[in-house]
Amino acid sequence: SLLLLLSVVCLGVYSQPITDNQRLFSIAVSRVQHLHLLAQRLFSDFESSLQTEEQRQLNKIFLQDFCNSDYIVSPIDKHETQRSSVLKLLSISYRLIESWEFPSRSLSGGSSLRNQISPRLSELKTGILLLIRANQDEAENFPDSGALQLAPYGNYYQSLGADESLRRTYELLACFKKDMHKVETYLTVAKCRLSPEANCTL
């Protein structure tokens, strides 16, 4: 009887951190899903305001360009994502979210949508940092956040002509949507790893 009681107590102690971790992951995934949805809506609203030819030209230009956040080394495909450790996926997600804290204030779109983004990025960054600390027992070390700051997006903040300004706005919104999709994927895969019986195939 005493042995059974001790077993139950020990099980409760050891299972609690896993439960907390799962809860934190669920919140983080839910938050980034909402951010990704906001990013899609901002980009869609901007695209719908363009003329057909403008949209075609901007699509062509963007395919040849790159996002500022591409400097953050991340998995190149779904297979590498699945092979990456939980801590690596969390660390990349943290870098991506942090890289948008400043540029997000200049995103074009309705103020009701735009005003939701900065506080949600800040909340998600805090949540990911908690998850990183909870998973710190892995071999990798998480670098000091001060070293992760990226420069603002190119010369986006300089005075530009009408056409150039349009291109910069398009790129910023397209990159934001792309990066939120990345973070959503990484956090979803990392969360899935907590359930050994789950199929985490992308």
Side-chain angles (χ1 to χ4, degrees):
S1 173
L2 179 60
L3 210 56
L4 180 62
L5 180 61
L6 283 171
S7 298
V8 170
V9 169
C10 287
L11 184 62
V13 169
Y14 287 117
S15 67
Q16 190 61 38
I18 296 172
T19 302
D20 289 345
N21 220 14
Q22 286 173 329
R23 184 176 58 81
L24 275 173
F25 262 115
S26 294
I27 293 169
V29 169
S30 175
R31 297 244 165 115
V32 75
Q33 284 173 342
H34 188 66
L35 274 166
H36 186 204
L37 182 63
L38 288 175
Q40 287 175 319
R41 286 173 63 187
L42 284 172
F43 184 72
S44 177
D45 289 350
F46 180 74
E47 268 201 320
S48 65
S49 72
L50 300 172
Q51 300 294 328
T52 305
E53 181 58 23
E54 283 178 328
Q55 193 174 133
R56 191 181 69 79
Q57 289 297 325
L58 287 168
N59 269 313
K60 190 165 68 175
I61 291 168
F62 183 69
L63 288 174
Q64 299 168 0
D65 215 333
F66 57 90
C67 297
N68 186 60
S69 51
D70 288 345
Y71 289 112
I72 298 169
V73 179
S74 56
I76 58 171
D77 55 29
K78 64 182 181 180
H79 303 296
E80 190 177 336
T81 299
Q82 289 171 323
R83 289 195 301 268
S84 299
S85 69
V86 168
L87 189 59
K88 181 177 180 179
L89 294 173
L90 287 171
S91 299
I92 296 166
S93 297
Y94 184 93
R95 289 178 173 90
L96 286 168
I97 293 299
E98 186 176 57
S99 76
W100 279 101
E101 281 194 299
F102 184 72
S104 68
R105 299 170 199 166
S106 299
L107 290 171
S108 297
S111 59
S112 60
L113 287 180
R114 196 174 62 248
N115 292 342
Q116 295 180 52
I117 291 172
S118 289
R120 288 181 184 277
L121 284 169
S122 182
E123 288 170 0
L124 183 57
K125 178 182 163 184
T126 300
I128 294 173
L129 189 56
L130 288 172
L131 283 167
I132 286 168
R133 287 172 180 161
N135 291 274
Q136 200 78 50
D137 55 343
E138 294 189 46
E140 300 164 69
N141 289 318
F142 181 65
D144 177 56
S145 63
L148 303 179
Q149 293 287 347
L150 293 180
Y153 267 67
N155 60 349
Y156 180 79
Y157 304 97
Q158 294 178 7
S159 295
L160 303 170
D163 289 345
E164 188 71 3
S165 179
L166 194 70
R167 185 174 77 86
R168 291 294 182 197
T169 300
Y170 184 88
E171 287 181 355
L172 201 66
L173 290 171
C175 287
F176 183 58
K177 181 167 74 90
K178 172 186 166 184
D179 287 346
M180 292 308 102
H181 179 250
K182 275 187 182 180
V183 176
E184 182 180 353
T185 300
Y186 299 156
L187 292 184
T188 301
V189 170
K191 176 179 180 282
C192 187
R193 297 274 175 77
L194 293 178
S195 306
E197 73 282 358
N199 179 7
C200 300
T201 303
L202 289 172

